[in-house]
């Protein structure tokens, strides 16, 4: 029996490799090779157009040199604050909107869904430019609108003040991307079977209590996914800050996040020539930060999330 | 060759590089540039004037977008597909090309004797021994003002700092105009139109700049802190919400006639002329006391050099000699008022505002922006830091002394002056 089994070796399943090949090849060429190229580049430096290996010197400089480390920690903290704004504002609002949209009593829900999602598909450049105009103290509508309701005194040039600029940009980004958590949660809510809801109603759980006790636990895995998407997106962010505030992320680097810091270092800016080696060191740190964040999520949070099979 | 074939050739050369010369009987030389705004001036005025005098040489002006120029040029030079003539950015960007052997030395080019040492300083090796680009144009800093507004309020053109602030006070009191159109959002306005504009009067132009390079002066010395202190005093005269006012906002405020004074660079002339519906005048940065020597920032901005690997080096050199001639200077300066020829021969210009700017060269001493030569080679970059600090000082979030101290600290971290 055993010998017969050994002779009947499973044929090699070529089709798996063939079907995977295009994706693997493309992904390797445009993602994996550049990623390792960057990690490798961060261990080098150049002088007189001669590249040589320096080990971890670039990282030592990034954390040891008071100026480099001040810029790095400033960018990291700003980035964290950017992320906090998204977690505290974007995701709760997204969940709330999804809950409202999934209510069967709501009319025109398709219209709202589309309208709220549209900013997400706009280019960063358009969003940055439009909001710069809206908030402009000279030609913007924001001061006039506030004036109409008698709150003109509340207006300040938000994008030009150190204390407000980053929060303002964070909220602009929330405005742009609130459609993503909304759509994901909306889909999750729709996938909850009617039997579960009906059973809850039989038990007398309706309205808000139904949302908190029945729906929210069922959509927790989706919320987890959204959090991790937000985390990765925010720590890779660059475009909005660059288009609204420029590469120097003014005023006084108060809106500098890791992405703009990397850009300035890697490509240079104005008279500053680019330093690909220090830039790669920053890029490697960004990769490590995101990797750590994702690992923490995967190994501590996701494994504990209970999944319900219907 | 007709205009259409010229355009076709232009397209062709951008793809084929210098291969264009293979099928043209004449020698064709191509110019790399970031000044795509100047394309009509080159095609309609400069190139025909040159070709009329030099039959057998065809010139193609092939510009790319300003923000992409440096990267695109480097890639083309590395690949060997760059044009014969390279428009040179001032200082280190071009110096690097020369050090890499991509720009040829122009020391023995006929016509170079038409330029002063200051004019050539932007395109020389640090020791001044080799020049590798022909200086084409500089820009001068000063203040452009709304003449109608000044007449209406009975304000005379200020010559001293006290008169300057008195004028600002008067405009502010009257309330019709925003005294000064400048914002700090884009940062560079504060540094370039602010610090580098008024600064030379305090640090005495070249004297201070060279002393800084030699390490004899520091940015914390009074003559380098005072311009920051003067900038700090500008804050009340800027428009509401100037912290979020960008450079185009400032330009519009002024050309719409809502602001009285615009801290300017001469390149604004060609932008403002068609837009402003009122008479404009200009005055140089005010001096501290009446009768003091005045200093102006006359900053080298554009040069043109020879690609060391050019196949048509002779034709290209003929063109460069022509660029160094007074004829080129006259056409260029008049076609682009505000970009002033660096040639020693005075150039006749039609534009009154441009004439006003260039007339300061006679009575004031010229210098270039203090942060450009050598001092912006390291990290932190002095020029970029000056942008941030100037904006901070005007915003009132940092004192002039603290800003200067920070700048000097950053400079000390990498700059070791040659003793």
């Amino acid at each position: 029996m055993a010998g017969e089994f050994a002779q009947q070796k499973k044929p090699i399943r070529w089709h798996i490799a063939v079907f995977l090949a295009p994706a693997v090849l493309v992904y390797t060429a445009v993602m994996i090779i550049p990623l390792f190229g960057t990690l490798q580049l961060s261990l080098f430096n150049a002088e007189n157009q001669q590249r040589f290996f320096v080990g971890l010197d670039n990282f030592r400089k990034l954390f040891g040199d008071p100026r480099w480390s001040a810029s790095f920690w400033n960018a990291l903290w700003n980035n964290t604050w950017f992320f906090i704004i998204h977690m505290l504002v974007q995701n709760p609002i997204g969940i709330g909107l999804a809950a409202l949209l999934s209510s069967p009593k709501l009319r025109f829900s398709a219209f709202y869904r589309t309208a709220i999602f549209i900013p997400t598909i706009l280019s960063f450049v358009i969003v940055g430019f439009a909001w710069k105009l809206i908030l402009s103290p000279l030609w913007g509508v924001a001061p006039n609108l506030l004036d109409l309701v008698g709150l003109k005194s509340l207006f300040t040039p938000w994008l030009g003040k150190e204390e407000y600029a980053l929060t303002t940009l964070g909220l602009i980004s929330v405005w742009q991307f609130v459609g993503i958590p909304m759509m994901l949660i909306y889909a999750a809510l729709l996938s909850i079977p009617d039997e579960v809801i009906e059973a809850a109603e039989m038990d007398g759980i309706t309205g808000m209590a139904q949302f908190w006790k029945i729906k929210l636990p069922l959509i927790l895995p989706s919320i987890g996914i959204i959090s991790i998407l937000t985390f990765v997106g925010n720590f890779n962010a660059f475009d909005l800050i660059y288009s609204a505030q420029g590469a120097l992320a003014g005023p006084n680097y108060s809106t500098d996040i890791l992405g703009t810091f990397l850009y300035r270092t890697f490509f240079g800016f104005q008279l500053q020539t680019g330093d690909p080696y220090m830039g790669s060191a920053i890029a490697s740190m960004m990769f490590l930060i995101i990797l750590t964040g994702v690992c923490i999520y995967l190994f501590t949070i996701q494994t504990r999330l209970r999944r319900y099979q219907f | 060759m007709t205009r259409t074939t010229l355009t076709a050739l232009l397209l062709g050369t951008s793809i084929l590089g210098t291969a264009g010369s293979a099928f043209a009987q004449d020698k064709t030389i191509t110019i790399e540039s970031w000044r795509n705004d100047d394309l009509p001036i080159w095609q309609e005025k400069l190139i025909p004037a040159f070709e009329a005098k030099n039959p057998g040489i065809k010139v193609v002006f092939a510009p790319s977008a300003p923000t992409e120029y440096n990267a695109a040029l480097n890639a083309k030079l590395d690949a060997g597909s760059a044009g014969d003539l390279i428009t040179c950015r001032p200082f280190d960007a071009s110096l690097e090309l020369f050090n890499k052997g991509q720009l040829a030395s122009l020391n023995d080019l006929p016509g170079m004797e038409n330029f002063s040492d200051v004019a050539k300083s932007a395109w020389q090796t640090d020791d001044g021994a080799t020049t590798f680009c022909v200086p084409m144009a500089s820009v001068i800093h000063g203040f452009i003002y709304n003449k109608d507004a000044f007449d209406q309020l009975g304000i005379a053109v200020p010559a001293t700092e006290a008169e300057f602030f008195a004028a600002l006070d008067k405009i502010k009191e009257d309330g019709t105009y925003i005294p000064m159109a400048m914002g700090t959002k884009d940062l560079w306005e504060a540094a370039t139109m602010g610090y580098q504009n008024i600064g030379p009067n305090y640090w005495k132009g070249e004297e201070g700049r060279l002393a800084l390079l030699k390490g004899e002066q520091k940015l914390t010395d009074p003559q380098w802190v005072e311009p920051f202190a003067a900038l700090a005093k500008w804050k009340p005269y800027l428009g509401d919400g100037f912290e979020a006012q960008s450079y185009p906002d400032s330009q519009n405020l002024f050309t719409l006639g809502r602001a009285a004074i615009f801290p300017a660079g001469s390149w604004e002339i060609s932008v403002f002329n068609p837009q402003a519906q009122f008479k404009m005048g200009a005055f140089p940065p005010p001096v501290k006391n009446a009768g003091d020597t005045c200093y102006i920032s006359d900053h080298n901005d554009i040069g043109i050099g020879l690609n060391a690997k050019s196949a048509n080096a002779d034709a290209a050199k003929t063109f460069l000699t022509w660029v160094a001639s007074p004829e080129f200077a006259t056409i260029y300066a008049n076609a682009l008022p505000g970009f002033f020829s660096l040639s020693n021969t005075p150039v006749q210009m039609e534009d009154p505002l441009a004439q006003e700017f260039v007339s300061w060269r006679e009575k004031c001493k010229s210098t270039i922006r203090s942060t450009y030569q050598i001092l912006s080679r390291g990290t932190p970059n002095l020029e970029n830091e000056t942008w941030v600090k100037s904006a901070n000082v005007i915003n009132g979030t940092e004192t002039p002394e603290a800003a200067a101290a920070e700048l000097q600290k950053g400079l000390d971290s990498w700059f070791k002056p040659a003793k």
Side-chain angles (χ1 to χ4, degrees):
Chain A
M1 269 307 264
E4 194 186 290
F5 191 73
Q7 273 175 359
Q8 265 186 358
K9 251 205 289 185
K10 280 185 189 167
I12 302 169
R13 289 187 275 179
W14 286 109
H15 62 279
I16 295 182
V18 169
F19 283 124
L20 277 178
V24 169
L25 287 178
V26 170
Y27 191 76
T28 307
V30 301
M31 293 295 293
I32 296 177
I33 293 176
L35 175 67
F36 282 98
T38 309
L39 292 177
Q40 187 206 15
L41 201 59
S42 69
L43 303 177
F44 283 82
N45 206 337
E47 213 158 273
N48 303 324
Q49 282 126 47
Q50 280 293 315
R51 186 193 282 193
F52 53 87
F53 184 78
V54 293
L56 292 174
D57 270 8
N58 289 335
F59 293 93
R60 241 168 253 141
K61 192 165 151 200
L62 185 61
F63 293 105
D65 182 277
R67 293 191 152 262
W68 279 103
S69 65
S71 306
F72 178 79
W73 293 117
N74 172 53
L76 184 60
W77 162 246
N78 286 341
N79 222 148
T80 311
W81 176 240
F82 200 63
F83 174 59
I84 291 173
I85 293 172
H86 282 77
M87 287 302 283
L88 290 184
V89 184
Q90 175 187 287
N91 296 347
I93 290 182
I95 295 167
L97 287 171
L100 288 176
L101 281 179
S102 67
S103 151
K105 285 175 214 144
L106 185 77
R107 300 173 70 194
F108 308 120
S109 68
F111 169 74
Y112 295 132
R113 203 175 55 207
T114 315
I116 294 168
F117 197 71
I118 278 181
T120 310
I121 58 175
L122 289 179
S123 145
F124 279 102
V125 182
I126 297 172
V127 171
F129 187 72
W131 276 96
K132 240 164 63 172
L133 263 184
I134 292 171
L135 297 176
S136 161
L138 295 167
W139 345 94
V141 290
N144 295 337
L145 287 179
L146 281 175
D147 202 16
L148 283 180
V149 289
L151 292 174
K152 182 83 193 284
S153 57
L154 284 183
F155 182 82
T156 39
W158 286 296
L159 286 177
K161 295 270 194 183
E162 275 179 48
E163 55 272 43
Y164 304 125
L166 183 63
T167 311
T168 311
L169 286 164
L171 294 175
I172 292 172
S173 170
V174 165
W175 171 84
Q176 186 182 5
F177 285 118
V178 76
I180 300 232
M182 183 193 77
M183 288 307 233
L184 288 172
I185 299 289
Y186 181 62
L189 284 172
L190 290 186
S191 71
I192 298 174
D194 285 342
E195 299 91 70
V196 177
I197 305 291
E198 279 161 17
E201 278 169 2
M202 295 293 281
D203 288 342
I205 304 174
T206 53
M208 285 304 275
Q210 193 185 64
F211 177 76
W212 290 111
K213 294 199 171 134
I214 307 293
K215 291 181 178 169
L216 196 61
L218 289 175
I219 58 170
L220 268 183
S222 297
I223 294 178
I225 291 289
I226 287 163
S227 307
I228 207 66
L229 283 179
T230 311
F231 176 76
V232 175
N234 284 167
F235 276 83
N236 273 326
F238 161 73
D239 329 46
L240 180 68
I241 310 277
Y242 181 71
S243 63
Q245 304 294 83
L248 280 180
N252 201 17
Y253 301 114
S254 63
T255 56
D256 198 20
I257 58 174
L258 291 169
T260 44
F261 181 43
L262 160 71
Y263 175 86
R264 265 203 323 278
T265 311
F266 197 104
F267 295 103
F269 179 66
Q270 190 65 11
L271 294 194
Q272 169 87 63
T273 43
D275 181 346
Y277 307 101
M278 280 308 284
S280 301
I282 297 168
S284 304
M285 283 316 299
M286 287 171 73
F287 173 68
L288 286 180
I289 290 167
I290 293 171
L291 190 69
T292 316
V294 174
C295 285
I296 290 173
Y297 169 78
L298 284 180
F299 294 119
T300 66
I301 299 176
Q302 203 180 26
T303 48
R304 290 185 201 172
L305 282 175
R306 269 204 276 170
R307 285 173 189 283
Y308 300 88
Q309 293 283 324
F310 302 116
Chain B
M1 197 179 283
T2 64
R3 180 71 31 80
T4 42
T5 48
L6 189 74
T7 327
L9 188 68
L10 192 100
L11 281 170
T13 44
S14 64
I15 302 159
L16 300 170
T18 47
S21 55
F23 53 81
Q25 250 187 345
D26 300 323
K27 276 191 175 168
T28 304
I29 50 178
T30 311
I31 306 173
E32 301 279 352
S33 176
W34 71 89
R35 295 286 311 167
N36 46 10
D37 290 350
D38 300 352
L39 186 63
I41 292 155
W42 281 91
Q43 288 186 344
E44 286 157 26
K45 294 183 177 161
L46 293 165
I47 294 176
F50 172 77
E51 286 177 349
K53 281 201 170 166
N54 298 278
I57 303 178
K58 298 284 171 212
V59 183
V60 175
F61 184 71
S64 44
T67 47
E68 290 158 15
Y69 179 70
N70 292 17
L73 179 68
N74 282 331
K76 282 192 211 169
L77 283 168
D78 290 339
S81 61
D84 307 276
L85 295 163
I86 311 289
T87 307
C88 303
R89 298 272 194 193
F91 301 104
D92 286 1
S94 294
L95 182 60
E96 201 190 315
L97 297 182
F98 175 73
N99 287 338
K100 280 204 264 179
Q102 292 172 327
L103 283 175
S105 160
L106 297 179
N107 277 348
D108 47 2
L109 185 84
M112 283 307 264
E113 66 281 359
N114 294 344
F115 300 96
S116 71
D117 284 342
V118 179
K120 287 188 278 195
S121 66
W123 299 283
Q124 276 180 335
T125 46
D126 286 354
D127 56 7
T130 311
T131 309
F132 41 83
C133 295
V134 180
M136 265 166 80
S138 73
V139 289
I140 298 178
H141 281 301
F143 294 84
I144 299 180
Y145 66 95
N146 182 330
K147 227 176 202 165
D148 295 353
F150 270 45
D151 290 347
Q152 188 191 327
L153 300 176
I155 301 171
V157 174
T160 65
E161 214 185 296
E163 286 172 18
F164 179 65
F165 282 106
L168 287 171
D169 277 329
K170 204 164 176 184
I171 303 167
K172 192 176 165 135
E173 224 168 274
D174 174 75
T176 321
Y177 300 94
I178 296 166
M180 191 145 49
M182 195 178 90
T184 53
K185 171 91 187 341
D186 290 347
L187 308 174
W188 72 271
E189 257 187 293
T192 313
M193 323 284 233
Y195 191 70
Q196 298 292 359
N197 182 356
I198 61 171
N201 273 332
Y202 298 88
W203 61 70
K204 301 201 186 307
E206 284 294 278
E207 192 187 316
R209 190 180 75 85
L210 295 174
L212 198 62
L213 282 179
K214 286 185 199 131
E216 288 159 7
Q217 289 184 11
K218 291 200 168 295
L219 291 169
T220 43
D221 291 347
Q223 63 269 40
W224 294 90
V225 180
E226 274 173 66
F228 275 135
L231 279 189
K233 286 197 273 178
W234 285 14
K235 184 179 176 181
Y237 305 108
L238 306 177
D240 270 349
F242 68 89
E243 292 101 333
Q245 180 178 327
S246 67
Y247 170 58
D249 288 342
S250 310
Q251 288 179 312
N252 284 329
L253 267 190
F254 183 74
T255 51
L256 289 172
R258 281 172 55 184
I261 300 176
F262 186 90
S266 56
W267 64 86
E268 307 286 3
I269 295 173
S270 46
V271 183
F272 284 179
N273 269 339
Q275 284 179 17
Q277 302 295 314
F278 48 85
K279 270 191 235 136
M280 287 182 291
F283 58 87
V287 292
K288 251 194 286 185
N289 304 304
D292 283 358
T293 319
C294 58
Y295 296 86
I296 52 166
S297 164
D298 186 357
H299 189 72
N300 304 345
D301 198 41
I302 306 183
I304 185 163
L306 172 65
N307 181 352
K309 298 197 179 69
S310 165
N312 303 310
D314 291 338
K317 276 190 173 173
T318 316
F319 185 79
L320 287 177
T321 303
W322 182 70
V323 170
S325 72
E327 186 194 352
F328 173 87
T330 312
I331 304 177
Y332 191 79
N334 279 302
L336 279 172
F339 288 89
F340 302 111
S341 163
L342 285 159
S343 166
N344 288 335
T345 344
V347 172
Q348 263 314 313
M349 281 185 297
E350 314 267 315
D351 188 89
L353 209 51
Q355 275 174 3
E356 174 64 38
F357 267 97
V358 86
S359 72
W360 304 337
R361 275 183 181 167
E362 310 290 317
K363 56 178 186 181
C364 301
K365 289 188 178 167
S366 296
T367 182
I368 55 176
R369 290 179 203 154
S370 61
T371 51
Y372 268 61
Q373 194 179 21
I374 300 172
L375 296 183
S376 285
R377 225 165 250 180
T379 314
N381 184 285
L382 183 63
E383 167 73 0
N384 295 2
E385 291 295 298
T386 304
W387 290 16
V388 175
K389 295 298 174 198
S390 305
N392 283 355
V393 165
I394 297 179
N395 287 344
T397 53
E398 197 165 13
T399 63
E401 291 75 20
E406 277 280 301
L407 287 180
Q408 183 62 41
K409 216 173 96 193
L411 193 59
D412 283 342
S413 72
W414 62 268
F415 178 63
K416 305 281 174 278
K419 289 272 157 65

